[in-house]
Structure formats: structure tokens, C-alpha cells
Amino acid sequence: MSDVIKEIKFAFFLIFHPFKGFNDIKYEGGGSAKSACCIVLITILAFILDVRYTAFTFNTTSVDNFNILTVVSSVLIPFGLWCVSNWSLTTLMDGEGRFSEIVMATAYALLPISLVKIPLVIISYFTTIEDIGLMTAFSSIAMIWAIALILFGTMVVHQYSFGRTIFTALLILVGMAIIVFIFLLFFSLVQQMANFIIIVFKELSLRF
């Protein structure tokens, strides 16, 4: 129980003291893979609650169109792509961060999203449409906060300057797009190959 409390305290410490927090992850053994996974799961839960249970006044997604797999993938896919692209590029750019450090830093950086989104779901039932601007502002602040933490994490984990971090982040985004393109291309080739095999099999079946 004491370890859980310690991890929670560290997570909150990191989002308010990012440079010291990420430095602790890299050099002091701060944080853990277990707590990082928990934060990712909580972030997924926050998005599910936001999409599914936000009051209809502020919710643009109908119950009929709700797909939990889509929501889960909207968190896990960008998270995974960022970590893989980050590690792949920074390995070639003298980055000092290990893959485990990148994953933990990115996971901890997501915490502000759930801290804001989950309370907003509850608050949405006690506010009116006139407060939509305020609700949107808080949601935007959470996203900006998380993005800033991801950049700070990249900077500290790889020991980059701020300018190099921004440049690297842009390259990481390009790398993510390239990975998606390669995956879609590979999927398309596999699909075409499967269709070709099916056609050949049908032709052979008709002949014999």
C-alpha cells in the first residue's frame, strides 16, 4: 500500500515539477512501468467516460455510434507510435533515453488529461450550454498541459536543448506518419496477396 501511495505522490509531483520528475525517472529510478501502465489505462477510461457519459448537452457522440474499440485505439495507437518513433529517431540523433524511459515519461505526461476530463464528465450534468466555452477551455488546457509534459520529458530523457527538442518532436510526428503509411501499405499488399490466392484456389477448384 505504501508503494502505491509513493507512486501516486510521484505522479502528481512530476506533472507540477516536470524537470525534476523526469530527471528522477532517468537517474533516480523514479516511477515504475506498473504505474505508467496504470496511468495509460486511466487515460483510456477518461476518454471512454468523456465520449460515452458526458451529458448530452455537451456530447456530440450518439450512443448508437459509440465504439469502445475506437476510443481505446485512439489512445493506444498514438501512444505506441510516439514511443516507437521517438526511440527510432533519437537513437540516430544521439538521444540518451532508453525505450523504457521514453514509455514511462510519455505515460506520466498523460496524467493531466484524466485529472481534468473525468471531473468534467461529472460537472457536465450540473452546467448549461452557456458554459460550453469554459468546459472546452479546461479540456484544451489539459491537452496542452500533457503535450508540454511530453516535450519536457523528451528534453530531459534525451538531454536535448529546447530547440532541438522541438525539432525532434516534429521529426517524431513525421516518423509516426511514415510508420502508419508503411503499415497501411503492408496491409494493402497482404490483402491483395490473399485475394490473389483465393482467386487461384477457386480457379483450381473449378478445373479439378
Side-chain angles (χ1 to χ4, degrees), residues 18-62:
F19 291 106
K20 179 65 170 65
F22 289 122
N23 192 72
D24 286 348
I25 287 179
K26 184 166 182 63
Y27 297 110
E28 305 296 333
S32 68
K34 184 188 297 183
S35 58
C37 289
C38 288
I39 291 173
V40 173
L41 291 175
I42 293 171
T43 304
I44 292 172
L45 176 62
F47 274 90
I48 292 173
L49 292 175
D50 179 45
V51 174
R52 178 64 180 82
Y53 294 105
T54 296
F56 71 91
T57 308
F58 305 97
N59 199 341
T60 57
T61 304
S62 65

Side-chain angles (χ1 to χ4, degrees), residues 180-192:
V180 172
F181 174 76
I182 293 174
F183 175 80
L184 292 176
L185 183 62
F186 175 76
F187 180 79
S188 176
L189 289 174
V190 170
Q191 190 177 40
Q192 291 178 21

Side-chain angles (χ1 to χ4, degrees), residues 81-108:
L81 286 174
W82 172 269
C83 292
V84 171
S85 181
N86 188 324
W87 177 77
S88 301
L89 285 170
T90 54
T91 299
L92 303 174
M93 298 174 64
D94 300 322
E96 298 182 11
R98 295 177 298 177
F99 185 72
S100 59
E101 294 169 350
I102 294 170
V103 172
M104 282 198 292
T106 306
Y108 275 96

Side-chain angles (χ1 to χ4, degrees), residues 125-147:
Y125 289 92
F126 302 96
T127 54
T128 61
I129 192 64
E130 285 78 12
D131 300 311
I132 190 170
L134 191 61
M135 298 278 287
T136 303
F138 276 111
S139 184
S140 299
I141 288 171
M143 296 301 296
I144 293 171
W145 191 359
I147 292 171

Side-chain angles (χ1 to χ4, degrees), residues 140-157:
S140 299
I141 288 171
M143 296 301 296
I144 293 171
W145 191 359
I147 292 171
L149 288 174
I150 289 173
L151 292 177
F152 292 149
T154 302
M155 187 190 316
V156 175
V157 165

